[in-house]
mmCIF file of all heavy atoms in Angstrom:
data_model
loop_
_atom_site.group_PDB
_atom_site.id
_atom_site.type_symbol
_atom_site.label_atom_id
_atom_site.label_comp_id
_atom_site.label_asym_id
_atom_site.label_seq_id
_atom_site.Cartn_x
_atom_site.Cartn_y
_atom_site.Cartn_z
ATOM 1 N N PRO A 98 -4.846 -5.004 5.441
ATOM 2 C CA PRO A 98 -5.656 -5.725 4.441
ATOM 3 C C PRO A 98 -4.724 -6.061 3.218
ATOM 4 O O PRO A 98 -4.892 -7.036 2.541
ATOM 5 C CB PRO A 98 -6.608 -4.756 4.029
ATOM 6 C CG PRO A 98 -6.495 -3.598 4.886
ATOM 7 C CD PRO A 98 -5.384 -3.761 5.772
ATOM 8 N N LEU A 99 -3.666 -5.291 2.917
ATOM 9 C CA LEU A 99 -2.748 -5.584 1.862
ATOM 10 C C LEU A 99 -1.972 -6.785 2.052
ATOM 11 O O LEU A 99 -1.830 -7.701 1.253
ATOM 12 C CB LEU A 99 -1.823 -4.337 1.645
ATOM 13 C CG LEU A 99 -1.014 -4.394 0.342
ATOM 14 C CD1 LEU A 99 -1.961 -4.527 -0.886
ATOM 15 C CD2 LEU A 99 -0.222 -3.193 0.165
ATOM 16 N N GLU A 100 -1.563 -6.957 3.310
ATOM 17 C CA GLU A 100 -0.839 -8.143 3.751
ATOM 18 C C GLU A 100 -1.715 -9.506 3.696
ATOM 19 O O GLU A 100 -1.355 -10.522 3.295
ATOM 20 C CB GLU A 100 -0.203 -8.150 5.175
ATOM 21 C CG GLU A 100 0.895 -7.134 5.233
ATOM 22 C CD GLU A 100 1.520 -6.998 6.614
ATOM 23 O OE1 GLU A 100 0.893 -7.582 7.568
ATOM 24 O OE2 GLU A 100 2.324 -6.121 6.866
ATOM 25 N N ALA A 102 -4.286 -9.796 1.570
ATOM 26 C CA ALA A 102 -4.474 -10.097 0.212
ATOM 27 C C ALA A 102 -3.238 -10.900 -0.352
ATOM 28 O O ALA A 102 -3.368 -11.815 -1.130
ATOM 29 C CB ALA A 102 -4.622 -8.828 -0.616
ATOM 30 N N GLU A 116 -10.665 -13.758 -3.873
ATOM 31 C CA GLU A 116 -10.657 -13.448 -2.453
ATOM 32 C C GLU A 116 -9.783 -12.197 -2.087
ATOM 33 O O GLU A 116 -10.135 -11.326 -1.323
ATOM 34 C CB GLU A 116 -10.167 -14.619 -1.613
ATOM 35 C CG GLU A 116 -10.077 -14.426 -0.142
ATOM 36 C CD GLU A 116 -11.380 -14.226 0.601
ATOM 37 O OE1 GLU A 116 -12.404 -14.414 0.020
ATOM 38 O OE2 GLU A 116 -11.426 -13.699 1.739
ATOM 39 N N ALA A 117 -8.654 -12.101 -2.737
ATOM 40 C CA ALA A 117 -7.779 -11.022 -2.550
ATOM 41 C C ALA A 117 -8.328 -9.687 -3.001
ATOM 42 O O ALA A 117 -8.315 -8.672 -2.404
ATOM 43 C CB ALA A 117 -6.387 -11.190 -3.286
ATOM 44 N N LEU A 118 -9.103 -9.791 -4.192
ATOM 45 C CA LEU A 118 -9.824 -8.610 -4.707
ATOM 46 C C LEU A 118 -10.969 -8.214 -3.734
ATOM 47 O O LEU A 118 -11.103 -7.080 -3.377
ATOM 48 C CB LEU A 118 -10.387 -8.952 -6.104
ATOM 49 C CG LEU A 118 -11.185 -7.799 -6.711
ATOM 50 C CD1 LEU A 118 -10.272 -6.551 -6.992
ATOM 51 C CD2 LEU A 118 -11.791 -8.260 -8.076
ATOM 52 N N ARG A 119 -11.626 -9.240 -3.186
ATOM 53 C CA ARG A 119 -12.714 -8.905 -2.154
ATOM 54 C C ARG A 119 -12.170 -8.172 -1.041
ATOM 55 O O ARG A 119 -12.714 -7.131 -0.504
ATOM 56 C CB ARG A 119 -13.365 -10.178 -1.747
ATOM 57 C CG ARG A 119 -14.549 -9.913 -0.764
ATOM 58 C CD ARG A 119 -14.986 -11.272 -0.118
ATOM 59 N NE ARG A 119 -14.041 -11.789 0.761
ATOM 60 C CZ ARG A 119 -13.714 -11.365 2.018
ATOM 61 N NH1 ARG A 119 -14.404 -10.269 2.474
ATOM 62 N NH2 ARG A 119 -12.928 -11.929 2.800
ATOM 63 N N ILE A 120 -11.045 -8.614 -0.432
ATOM 64 C CA ILE A 120 -10.406 -7.923 0.640
ATOM 65 C C ILE A 120 -10.034 -6.492 0.315
ATOM 66 O O ILE A 120 -10.357 -5.523 1.078
ATOM 67 C CB ILE A 120 -9.049 -8.733 1.148
ATOM 68 C CG1 ILE A 120 -9.448 -10.095 1.711
ATOM 69 C CG2 ILE A 120 -8.174 -7.872 2.133
ATOM 70 C CD1 ILE A 120 -8.303 -10.999 1.855
ATOM 71 N N LEU A 121 -9.393 -6.245 -0.840
ATOM 72 C CA LEU A 121 -9.050 -4.945 -1.119
ATOM 73 C C LEU A 121 -10.202 -3.956 -1.491
ATOM 74 O O LEU A 121 -10.171 -2.843 -1.082
ATOM 75 C CB LEU A 121 -8.109 -4.954 -2.433
ATOM 76 C CG LEU A 121 -6.812 -5.661 -2.123
ATOM 77 C CD1 LEU A 121 -5.998 -5.783 -3.535
ATOM 78 C CD2 LEU A 121 -5.987 -4.959 -1.207
ATOM 79 N N VAL A 122 -11.272 -4.530 -2.103
ATOM 80 C CA VAL A 122 -12.489 -3.653 -2.338
ATOM 81 C C VAL A 122 -13.069 -3.290 -1.101
ATOM 82 O O VAL A 122 -13.595 -2.110 -0.953
ATOM 83 C CB VAL A 122 -13.373 -4.393 -3.357
ATOM 84 C CG1 VAL A 122 -14.804 -3.686 -3.425
ATOM 85 C CG2 VAL A 122 -12.763 -4.429 -4.777
ATOM 86 N N ASN A 123 -13.219 -4.268 -0.204
ATOM 87 C CA ASN A 123 -13.845 -3.935 1.185
ATOM 88 C C ASN A 123 -13.064 -2.875 1.880
ATOM 89 O O ASN A 123 -13.665 -1.952 2.545
ATOM 90 C CB ASN A 123 -13.968 -5.211 1.985
ATOM 91 C CG ASN A 123 -15.200 -6.053 1.543
ATOM 92 O OD1 ASN A 123 -16.031 -5.677 0.866
ATOM 93 N ND2 ASN A 123 -14.999 -7.283 1.978
ATOM 94 N N GLU A 124 -11.708 -2.889 1.862
ATOM 95 C CA GLU A 124 -10.896 -1.950 2.562
ATOM 96 C C GLU A 124 -11.117 -0.524 1.868
ATOM 97 O O GLU A 124 -11.163 0.398 2.525
ATOM 98 C CB GLU A 124 -9.491 -2.363 2.461
ATOM 99 C CG GLU A 124 -8.645 -1.426 3.373
ATOM 100 C CD GLU A 124 -8.964 -1.327 4.927
ATOM 101 O OE1 GLU A 124 -9.570 -2.320 5.364
ATOM 102 O OE2 GLU A 124 -8.632 -0.347 5.454
ATOM 103 N N ALA A 125 -11.201 -0.515 0.482
ATOM 104 C CA ALA A 125 -11.387 0.697 -0.215
ATOM 105 C C ALA A 125 -12.703 1.371 0.141
ATOM 106 O O ALA A 125 -12.801 2.604 0.408
ATOM 107 C CB ALA A 125 -11.249 0.394 -1.696
ATOM 108 N N ALA A 126 -13.691 0.493 0.332
ATOM 109 C CA ALA A 126 -14.975 0.968 0.749
ATOM 110 C C ALA A 126 -15.000 1.601 2.139
ATOM 111 O O ALA A 126 -15.599 2.560 2.390
ATOM 112 C CB ALA A 126 -16.149 -0.122 0.615
#
Side-chain angles (χ1 to χ4, degrees):
L99 191 55
E100 289 177 2
E116 177 66 15
L118 181 62
R119 183 191 67 78
I120 292 168
L121 295 176
V122 168
N123 282 342
E124 186 62 23

